[in-house]
């Protein structure tokens, strides 16, 4: 497995692979890898010849007071895990390489970035779309794989790819979970043992919502109220949002029909955790 740290070396490598007719699969991450990230490598391998994973904690997607400085990092462990999952190249630039002093250009997707996570993190998606657009230009992938864990992010990236005519395919892979249902996340290490137990309620509440829908409930307020009451029973949980939205423009729905996304964000102690489920009626 190669480790590349400069944009120019990555460009050369991508050009060489493309000249050789290789299909480049790309998995963007911020590192501190877990099974969720590795599942994206495995998914990418089904569709490409060479897998490039980026490991870059992107400062522009963190707001003031968020955890950019403390975000967990362990590159040596990440490199070992990525290689064992079949990664061929890790792109691991430093912040200066990606955002030199005179960097002035940002990519912004409108409307769908202002709701859900965008409502409480107003500059987050601008940072995400900017880094992902830059990484697409640097790595020149044919296929890029994102996790359903960040459902809004995947929807925003797909919108950007269509709107800016990027010539690549976006795939979205399922959420990998711990045995009790908690969605894997690099930020789960912030949870105390007590909070870690409480955190299982997020998935349980989504499953309860799904069951209500299966039993015929179509009123979004009723379903959201049930989720809220389950989460509020946890002493350390502070709800950021619980929403039921349509899956293209992320508008809230009142009466469920077609495909909807039930998404939530809850702070449990230090970390803000997100989870979601898609439901087809
Ligand atoms: P991150 O390193 O948190 O920025 O995540 C990098 C990619 O991994 C994103 O596309 C995430 O959606 C995806 N990802 C994170 N956690 C999971 C998970 N539990 N299951 C599947 N994909 C995940």
């Amino acid at each position: 497995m190669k480790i590349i740290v400069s944009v120019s070396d990555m460009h050369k490598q991508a050009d060489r692979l493309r000249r050789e007719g290789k299909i480049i699969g790309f998995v963007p991450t911020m590192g501190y890898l877990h099974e969720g990230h590795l599942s994206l490598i495995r998914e990418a391998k089904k569709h490409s010849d060479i897998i490039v994973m980026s490991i870059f904690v992107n400062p522009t997607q963190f707001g003031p007071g968020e955890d950019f400085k403390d975000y967990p990092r362990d590159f040596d462990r990440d490199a070992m895990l990525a290689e064992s999952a079949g990664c061929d190249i890790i792109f691991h630039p430093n912040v200066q390489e990606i955002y030199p002093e005179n960097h002035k250009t940002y990519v912004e997707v409108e409307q769908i970035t202002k709701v859900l996570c965008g409502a409480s993190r107003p500059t987050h998606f601008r940072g995400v779309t900017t880094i992902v657009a830059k990484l697409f230009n640097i790595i020149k992938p044919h296929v890029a794989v994102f996790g359903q864990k960040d459902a809004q992010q995947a929807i925003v990236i797909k919108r950007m790819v269509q709107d800016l005519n990027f010539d690549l395919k976006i795939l979205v892979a399922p959420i990998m979970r711990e045995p009790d249902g908690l969605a894997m996340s690099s930020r789960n290490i912030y949870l105390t043992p007590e909070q870690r137990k409480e955190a299982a309620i997020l998935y349980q509440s989504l499953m309860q919502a799904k069951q209500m829908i299966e039993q015929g409930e179509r009123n979004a307020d009723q379903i959201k109220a049930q989720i809220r009451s389950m989460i509020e029973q946890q002493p350390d949980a502070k709800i950021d949002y619980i929403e039921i939205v349509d899956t293209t423009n992320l508008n809230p729905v009142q009466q469920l029909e077609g495909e909807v996304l039930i998404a939530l964000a809850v702070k449990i102690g230090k970390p803000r955790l997100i989870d979601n489920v898609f439901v087809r009626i």
Side-chain angles (χ1 to χ4, degrees):
M1 187 181 69
K2 278 197 177 64
I3 295 169
I4 296 180
V5 298
S6 82
V7 171
S8 65
D9 284 353
M10 191 64 239
H11 272 156
K12 278 186 214 139
Q13 186 70 26
D15 287 343
R16 193 171 64 75
L17 290 166
R18 279 186 165 248
R19 267 199 311 277
E20 290 170 359
K22 298 281 199 291
I23 303 293
I24 303 175
F26 173 43
V27 177
T29 80
M30 299 205 298
Y32 211 72
L33 302 182
H34 50 65
E35 196 50 41
H37 297 112
L38 303 182
S39 74
L40 305 187
I41 295 183
R42 295 190 193 104
E43 183 60 30
K45 273 184 99 64
K46 294 185 202 158
H47 306 271
S48 17
D49 303 312
I50 293 284
I51 308 299
V52 183
M53 171 177 264
S54 61
I55 297 185
F56 178 65
V57 183
N58 173 39
T60 62
Q61 72 190 68
F62 290 79
E66 291 186 0
D67 58 345
F68 171 66
K69 280 221 172 69
D70 308 341
Y71 194 83
R73 295 164 169 91
D74 188 344
F75 182 75
D76 293 342
R77 178 173 163 276
D78 286 351
M80 226 174 56
L81 288 173
E83 183 164 28
S84 67
C87 179
D88 300 291
I89 298 173
I90 292 184
F91 179 57
H92 182 51
N94 65 26
V95 172
Q96 187 60 25
E97 182 71 8
I98 296 296
Y99 299 109
E101 222 167 282
N102 50 358
H103 183 274
K104 295 279 184 278
T105 307
Y106 292 86
V107 176
E108 191 150 359
V109 173
E110 296 183 345
Q111 287 181 356
I112 55 173
T113 55
K114 304 296 173 230
V115 296
L116 305 177
C117 289
S120 52
R121 306 183 75 192
T123 56
H124 172 67
F125 286 109
R126 176 183 191 252
V128 169
T129 43
T130 300
I131 188 61
V132 170
K134 283 165 75 70
L135 290 168
F136 286 170
N137 284 330
I138 295 166
I139 292 163
K140 309 183 191 192
H142 299 85
V143 179
V145 186
F146 290 81
Q148 181 59 48
K149 160 86 185 333
D150 298 86
Q152 185 177 14
Q153 169 173 283
I155 289 166
V156 168
I157 296 294
K158 280 186 181 168
R159 183 77 266 140
M160 176 186 82
V161 162
Q162 277 196 18
D163 291 352
L164 296 184
N165 309 101
F166 279 101
D167 185 16
L168 83 167
K169 196 167 169 193
I170 302 295
L171 302 176
V172 182
I175 303 177
M176 299 297 284
R177 299 180 177 280
E178 302 290 353
D180 66 355
L182 176 65
M184 291 181 178
S185 163
S186 308
R187 289 185 169 106
N188 290 350
I189 58 147
Y190 295 142
L191 296 164
T192 65
E194 245 341 280
Q195 292 163 353
R196 171 64 191 78
K197 279 188 215 139
E198 289 181 31
I201 198 69
L202 304 192
Y203 183 60
Q204 287 163 11
S205 69
L206 290 171
M207 287 303 97
Q208 172 73 25
K210 218 173 153 185
Q211 199 181 345
M212 284 172 81
I213 297 165
E214 277 159 15
Q215 288 166 356
E217 182 61 73
R218 294 290 178 268
N219 183 289
D221 288 338
Q222 296 288 340
I223 298 164
K224 288 191 284 187
Q226 173 63 25
I227 297 174
R228 180 171 293 276
S229 79
M230 288 176 74
I231 295 175
E232 278 175 350
Q233 282 166 30
Q234 309 305 312
D236 295 308
K238 290 202 177 63
I239 296 168
D240 176 359
Y241 66 78
I242 297 164
E243 296 287 357
I244 304 183
V245 297
D246 82 58
T247 54
T248 16
N249 55 24
L250 301 182
N251 285 335
V253 297
Q254 275 309 316
Q255 281 298 115
L256 275 63
E257 59 170 334
E259 192 184 46
V260 296
L261 172 68
I262 311 179
L264 49 80
V266 178
K267 216 166 174 274
I268 299 193
K270 179 174 150 102
R272 177 178 170 282
L273 305 178
I274 57 172
D275 202 348
N276 67 80
V277 63
F278 276 86
V279 184
R280 176 162 279 289
I281 314 294

